[in-house]
Amino acid sequence: MLEFSGIPRPERLIDENGRRIDGRRPDELRPIKMEVGVLDKSDGSAYIEFGGTKVIAAVFGPREAHPRHLALPDRAILNCRYHMTSFSVEERKPLGMTRREIELSKVIREALETVTFLEEFPRAAIDVYVEVIQADGGTRTAGLTAASLALADAGIPMADLIAATAVGKVDGHLVLDLCDLEDKYGEADMPVAMAPRFNSIVMLQLNGRMAIDEFRRALALAQKGINEIYKLQREVLKRKFSELSPEEV
Ligand code: UDP
């Protein structure tokens, strides 16, 4: 039988009552925790938990771009690093950036660039760090969601926040917000990120296969989850900024 990281495939990923291995309904997100301003040293930060996936994001800047010859005359450079800590996964991840982490850093950067007003900071650089503390599926979507919150927390002007989750196909059922086992043993995994205010998709990847009709239904399911996440993001930011005195805003 197929086996990843020593964890065998459960006999069934969906039970006779339509429940998933962690007891969720197919259209249910995992329990979410969100906090902004969790770090003192960075200009903006956010912590997110989507079930067992725990991610922290930190933003520095805008600051003068270094080395200077890399500075752009008409906009800021957005540097982005997605990284998994060695202890975030079952089989300790090697130190240093893997190809997967380099790819995900690029994917996250490109999504963030669609909503950030970089042209307001010519010759500057903004650094975004995404650290995965514990991985249980959906780290790129949790990372992107946290990174957009950290940018907002840093006061960087943005057209919208980015909210993201994955949808997929597991034992023939479409499911929202896949955990690691569903990701590994399911038939398809599709991370989706949106700028919900504009109803625009800023990142979409698909690993596996879906029929066209399934793809449409999966996208609608992702959108439902994204709207729930977006609501929580706005609440957490409102809470933070309503607690600040007028001088601090
Ligand atoms: N994973 C792992 N080791 C790795 C990379 C990933 O155990 O080196 C696990 C981790 O739980 C991750 C999941 O596999 O969340 C799915 O990884 P994928 O590449 O699909 O990205 P993600 O869903 O985290 O965005």
Side-chain angles (χ1 to χ4, degrees):
M1 176 167 285
L2 200 59
E3 196 172 287
F4 282 104
S5 306
I7 305 169
R9 188 194 198 283
E11 203 172 307
R12 289 197 301 187
L13 290 166
I14 306 274
D15 74 11
E16 62 282 6
N17 300 315
R19 295 281 174 164
R20 296 155 68 178
I21 38 175
D22 53 11
R24 277 183 293 159
R25 294 186 307 274
D27 66 346
E28 212 176 320
L29 292 169
R30 291 174 286 183
I32 298 176
K33 269 193 204 159
M34 252 181 224
E35 215 178 316
V36 290
V38 291
L39 301 173
D40 287 343
K41 317 275 185 212
S42 58
D43 295 305
S45 58
Y47 173 75
I48 283 196
E49 278 182 30
F50 285 172
T53 288
K54 303 180 182 192
V55 173
I56 198 156
V59 168
F60 287 87
R63 56 161 177 89
E64 197 176 320
H66 285 292
R68 296 277 287 276
H69 71 269
L70 290 181
L72 300 174
D74 56 344
R75 68 171 181 93
I77 305 166
L78 191 68
N79 297 312
C80 187
R81 191 182 91 132
Y82 160 100
H83 178 251
M84 275 180 142
T85 55
S86 297
F87 51 82
S88 64
V89 287
E90 208 83 36
E91 269 176 32
R92 193 167 63 91
K93 197 195 74 69
L95 293 173
M97 292 286 277
T98 61
R99 279 181 58 174
R100 175 180 171 278
E101 289 168 309
I102 293 167
E103 183 211 318
L104 291 189
S105 300
K106 177 176 181 283
V107 165
I108 291 173
R109 173 175 57 76
E110 287 175 349
L112 292 173
E113 279 176 344
T114 65
V115 291
T116 313
F117 290 121
L118 296 172
E119 62 280 10
E120 294 203 9
F121 307 103
R123 311 198 64 78
I126 299 169
D127 300 319
V128 178
Y129 296 91
V130 172
E131 281 293 323
V132 178
I133 297 165
Q134 185 172 283
D136 185 17
T139 60
R140 79 194 65 196
T141 47
L144 196 39
T145 306
S148 86
L149 271 181
L151 281 168
D153 184 46
I156 309 244
M158 295 161 81
D160 198 6
L161 291 165
I162 289 178
T165 188
V167 279
K169 193 168 143 188
V170 165
D171 284 359
H173 297 257
L174 294 180
V175 296
L176 179 62
D177 186 20
L178 285 78
C179 66
D180 188 30
L181 280 178
E182 292 176 325
D183 179 306
K184 287 192 167 68
Y185 294 119
E187 296 94 89
D189 168 34
M190 185 168 91
V192 183
M194 293 183 71
R197 194 174 146 210
F198 304 101
N199 205 26
S200 76
I201 295 169
V202 296
M203 189 270 291
L204 189 147
Q205 298 179 301
L206 174 59
N207 188 11
R209 290 164 76 95
M210 276 189 216
I212 293 278
D213 174 55
E214 285 172 335
F215 172 79
R216 289 203 183 97
R217 284 188 289 129
L219 202 52
L221 188 56
Q223 205 159 357
K224 171 191 166 310
I226 282 169
N227 287 336
E228 290 174 39
I229 293 164
Y230 186 55
K231 191 163 168 262
L232 294 175
Q233 283 175 299
R234 286 189 310 175
E235 278 170 13
V236 85
L237 282 174
K238 264 191 211 150
R239 209 163 40 239
K240 156 137 194 209
F241 286 106
S242 66
E243 279 165 8
L244 295 177
S245 62
E247 300 81 58
E248 286 176 296
V249 177

